[in-house]
Amino acid sequence: MAAAVFNLSDINNLMRELQGDVVLYPTFEHIFMESLYPDGIILDEYGRTRAQAEAAEEKFRPDTSRIITSKIPRALIMKNDKGLYICNNLKNELTPFRRGAIAFAKGCNPITDDDWAKYTRQIAPGEINQIVPIADVVAAIRSKSDTLVVEIGHQSQSAA
């Protein structure tokens, strides 16, 4: 299993953005969390459940406008569409890239690393859109680690 290494100080900047009373957007994983919807029921834009949409042989897409926004959890998301990086789910008119709210994996920064595309493909060959547990970041901070190691497709862990 491949792993990516991130500077914990960069991740701390993302965590600071999530402090206080902030507006968040739901991640892909969040849109399928029943606890974010009224009565815990996920419906599509036509008011159908997954079973009803599939019975009609149609793809089910949750109606995210029904999400109770105050229930959206704070999240860190690892992606690999422009290098390999972690961003947060803060809702802002500026993208994470525009506001500098990105923590790139070592060797995967398109601005500073010459072979970033090759290295990104080596450790994350497929599309990545993975939640990085905030509890793992907190554990790394408490252990006085300098880095956060995130296994591609699995939980993260701290490293000295």
Side-chain angles (χ1 to χ4, degrees):
M1 182 74 37
V5 179
F6 296 87
N7 244 334
L8 199 53
S9 61
D10 295 339
I11 306 277
N12 279 335
N13 292 333
L14 301 177
M15 297 285 287
R16 276 192 280 283
E17 274 197 335
L18 294 175
Q19 292 178 351
D21 188 23
V22 294
V23 178
L24 305 170
Y25 69 86
T27 67
F28 182 76
E29 291 179 13
H30 292 152
I31 66 173
F32 293 97
M33 291 176 64
E34 293 171 343
S35 62
L36 300 183
Y37 292 88
D39 300 322
I41 301 170
I42 304 173
L43 302 173
D44 67 8
E45 66 179 301
Y46 305 108
R48 300 177 302 184
T49 64
R50 175 186 295 273
Q52 291 168 329
E54 289 174 353
E57 297 182 2
E58 294 183 18
K59 188 170 182 160
F60 179 75
R61 290 188 173 90
D63 179 4
T64 58
S65 70
R66 297 184 66 248
I67 289 177
I68 302 167
T69 57
S70 62
K71 290 187 174 186
I72 298 171
R74 289 162 168 73
L76 297 174
I77 308 104
M78 181 171 59
K79 299 180 178 187
N80 67 339
D81 55 345
K82 299 172 186 168
L84 183 61
Y85 62 93
I86 294 175
C87 61
N88 60 36
N89 68 327
L90 178 72
K91 190 170 189 175
N92 192 300
E93 63 185 47
L94 296 177
T95 68
F97 282 93
R98 288 217 165 161
R99 66 179 197 275
I102 297 286
F104 283 100
K106 292 184 179 186
C108 298
N109 185 332
I111 299 166
T112 61
D113 300 319
D114 291 335
D115 289 331
W116 68 270
K118 179 181 175 184
Y119 191 62
T120 298
R121 280 191 305 275
Q122 285 176 344
I123 59 175
E127 182 180 340
I128 302 293
N129 191 347
Q130 172 181 331
I131 296 286
V132 177
I134 289 177
D136 291 354
V137 176
V138 171
I141 292 167
R142 287 185 179 152
S143 72
K144 300 188 186 323
S145 178
D146 293 331
T147 60
L148 181 73
V149 177
V150 181
E151 288 187 31
I152 308 300
H154 284 3
Q155 302 288 350
S156 57
Q157 58 188 356
S158 62

